[in-house]
Amino acid sequence: VSEPANASFEQEERPTRPEDRLEAPRPVANDGIPPVRRSVVSSALRQLHDSVAKEPLPEEMLRLLKDIEDRAGGGAR
Amino acid sequence: MTDGPNEEWGPEQEAAFHAQLVAIIPSLRSFARGLCGGRDMAEDLAQDTVMRAWSARKRFLVGSNFRAWMFTIMRNQFYTSIRKSGRSVVCDPEMAERVLVSEATQQAGLHVQDVAAALQKLPAEQREVLMLVGAQGVAYEEAANIIGCAVGTVKSRVARGRAALSKLLEGDEQDAGAVQVQQGGRPERLRVANC
């Protein structure tokens, strides 16, 4: 089996000088969204949650909770 | 949840359970809205979840994660109803526009309605993690427990969902890669993520 052309790759000299290491690319988030944009999206999602959570409860839910409360109270007595 | 009824269940547990149930309703409604899109369907889902949780309260393991238990019930109920009805899990855009009745608030140029509408264009698997992790601050591990998948899967779905939502909010639907096309009223397929 012939030796691959890039067999000597691992023997290549790696940069060890501090200035070379400083030029190494910084880690990038895997979603590709700029941090500011990601922050805006996260904030918007939280606002969406807050908006829905603050909406008044519908009548059906209020009745259901009253019914459950009565049963829970009955169980506690 | 335990396998069978909790034999130590008594009036104190009943009262504590009721208090937890009431306290979590805002979060349930928010999660339901993210899943369903439509207000009416979401409210039905939230009520159904509360009823089911109350019926199964004696199977709840006191001291365990109540929020995760409730979200799991809601999620299971949502997908069960979707399967039974054969309905789409992605609502129509007009419905998404009516998702919120509250006055819009603005954050860095984004209206909440825009976010709600864009969210409904994403696959359900991305919507649910965005609502859990992004909107409600649920930890990746807890979200993975609720959904029943690996933490890494949740992380990748959140990342893809955020990216797609960001694209949609920028008006770049072509590049969002998650917009589903409704064809002649037939149920839309769920995009299946790599688990």
Side-chain angles (χ1 to χ4, degrees), chain B residues 65-77:
Chain B
N65 189 334
F66 184 75
R67 180 170 72 171
W69 190 69
M70 292 297 295
F71 283 162
T72 302
I73 292 174
M74 171 169 281
R75 187 178 176 277
N76 289 344
Q77 182 59 20

Side-chain angles (χ1 to χ4, degrees), chain B residues 44-177:
Chain B
D44 287 348
L45 177 62
Q47 289 168 38
D48 203 15
T49 302
V50 169
M51 277 194 291
R52 285 173 180 275
W54 179 253
S55 299
R57 62 193 182 280
K58 293 181 182 177
R59 293 207 300 272
F60 174 69
L61 185 63
V62 176
S64 63
N65 189 334
F66 184 75
R67 180 170 72 171
W69 190 69
M70 292 297 295
F71 283 162
T72 302
I73 292 174
M74 171 169 281
R75 187 178 176 277
N76 289 344
Q77 182 59 20
F78 171 70
Y79 285 109
T80 298
S81 64
I82 290 300
R83 274 195 299 271
K84 281 183 180 174
S85 66
R87 280 178 297 178
S88 164
V89 294
V90 179
C91 75
D92 66 87
E94 287 185 10
M95 182 182 284
E97 296 293 339
R98 300 194 300 270
V99 162
L100 295 171
V101 296
S102 59
E103 190 175 342
T105 54
Q106 242 179 328
Q107 174 73 25
L110 287 179
H111 283 276
V112 174
Q113 281 98 334
D114 295 336
V115 180
L119 190 67
Q120 293 308 313
K121 294 177 181 175
L122 301 181
E125 66 194 20
Q126 290 178 9
R127 292 204 308 274
E128 65 182 7
V129 293
L130 286 177
M131 288 308 293
L132 289 172
V133 177
Q136 309 215 28
V138 171
Y140 286 121
E141 291 76 10
E142 187 179 344
N145 183 34
I146 292 166
I147 293 169
C149 67
V151 175
T153 303
V154 173
K155 287 181 178 176
S156 65
R157 287 181 186 176
V158 168
R160 285 201 301 270
R162 270 205 190 109
L165 190 60
S166 179
K167 293 282 185 189
L168 286 167
L169 291 172
E170 289 170 353
D172 190 1
E173 295 199 5
Q174 291 293 324
D175 201 27

Side-chain angles (χ1 to χ4, degrees), chain B residues 164-194:
Chain B
L165 190 60
S166 179
K167 293 282 185 189
L168 286 167
L169 291 172
E170 289 170 353
D172 190 1
E173 295 199 5
Q174 291 293 324
D175 201 27
V179 180
Q180 299 186 24
V181 179
Q182 189 146 15
Q183 297 176 339
R186 295 179 61 189
E188 294 164 285
R189 286 184 301 130
L190 268 174
R191 275 164 54 94
V192 179
N194 299 323

